[in-house]
Amino acid sequence: MFAQFAFPIFEQCIRDYHVIDDVYQPTLNPYEKGSIEYLLYAKNWVDTVQWHYEDIIRDPQIDPIAALDLKRKIDASNQVRTDMVEYIDSYFLQKYKDVSIKSDAKINTESPAWAIDRLSILALKIYHMNEEATRPDASIDHRAKCQEKLQVLLDQKSDMFTSISELLTDIANGDKYMKVYKQMKMYNDEDLNPVLYQQKK
């Protein structure tokens, strides 16, 4: 059950981040480099830092220069996030490389790693919604509404555990096959972003 294996690693990472709760703190990944645990922890760390970048940039009092710098950090973070999803997909491609794919096998709308990416974000939503549902200085009405939303997120977590497990079982049995498309992000590429390549003329 890969999702059930990954989710506690995401939760651990989120807890570790919030000990200091600073987007500029160093990553202290407790897992062995090269292991899938290390990769999952690193993936969620990127997501967690970006979550807080997104909070900071919505400050109506933010200095415009600081906002521009933060926007570039978010762009860079998005690229790292995409790269890490592709690394996780490489893990799955290696894991299932010897599977005999059935002639009627179907392709899924997303790869296993992109499903795991959504699970990582869901772990962040659950953590922060629980914070709001239990925030002492919030109104009773606010906490009650957030508790309702938290329950929906927990239901989604259960459904994702099931759907990811079924996807990986189908791949392992040859009923579905993986096809990974390298993400072709254009906004950071000097040859593809017209704002950037016009400046090179």
Side-chain angles (χ1 to χ4, degrees), residues 42-57:
K43 167 69 177 70
N44 183 262
W45 188 274
V46 172
D47 294 338
T48 303
V49 170
Q50 185 162 336
W51 178 284
H52 292 87
Y53 280 160
E54 298 284 2
D55 280 348
I56 295 167
I57 205 167

Side-chain angles (χ1 to χ4, degrees), residues 96 99-106 167-177:
Y96 298 116
V99 169
S100 296
I101 299 171
K102 296 176 182 174
S103 59
D104 60 347
K106 296 183 171 122
L167 172 59
L168 293 176
T169 297
D170 285 345
I171 292 172
N173 292 338
D175 294 313
K176 285 188 176 175
Y177 63 95

Side-chain angles (χ1 to χ4, degrees), residues 11 31 36 47 49 55-57 65 130 134 176 196 201:
E11 290 179 310
Y31 295 101
I36 186 61
D47 294 338
V49 170
D55 280 348
I56 295 167
I57 205 167
I65 301 298
N130 183 65
T134 57
K176 285 188 176 175
L196 297 179
K201 290 183 177 179

Side-chain angles (χ1 to χ4, degrees), residues 163-186:
S163 60
I164 291 170
S165 177
E166 288 176 351
L167 172 59
L168 293 176
T169 297
D170 285 345
I171 292 172
N173 292 338
D175 294 313
K176 285 188 176 175
Y177 63 95
M178 285 184 64
K179 189 173 182 181
V180 176
Y181 303 92
K182 296 293 184 183
Q183 297 302 306
M184 307 200 185
K185 289 191 177 291
M186 300 174 70

Side-chain angles (χ1 to χ4, degrees), residues 135-149:
R135 182 156 61 90
D137 62 338
S139 68
I140 293 173
D141 182 59
H142 174 86
R143 293 199 301 268
K145 286 179 179 176
C146 289
Q147 187 61 47
E148 289 178 8
K149 292 176 181 178

